[in-house]
Amino acid sequence: MRTTGELLIGAASVPATAGTMKALDPATGKLFEPDFAFGEAAEVDRALRLADEAFDS
């Protein structure tokens, strides 16, 4: 698996629109690459809607 720092929504790679953050390794104090992406409300809503449609309620 390759980490890209982008969101995966509906089998498509989507650039982050709400910012990013770096993860910290507490044992070494080093930051991990790439940045972790944040999605805006519309991206989160789309991901949740697709997940709901994919499974029987």
Side-chain angles (χ1 to χ4, degrees):
M1 180 174 148
R2 192 180 110 216
T3 304
T4 64
E6 294 184 339
L7 307 172
L8 183 61
I9 300 175
S13 183
V14 178
T17 59
T20 60
M21 72 169 201
K22 290 193 179 293
L24 175 71
D25 180 345
T28 65
K30 292 179 72 176
L31 296 172
F32 290 104
E33 293 289 336
D35 294 354
F36 288 85
F38 294 134
E40 291 185 351
E43 294 158 337
V44 174
D45 287 342
R46 179 170 178 245
L48 291 172
R49 188 174 58 253
L50 290 169
D52 188 52
E53 291 170 2
F55 296 95
D56 292 332
S57 296

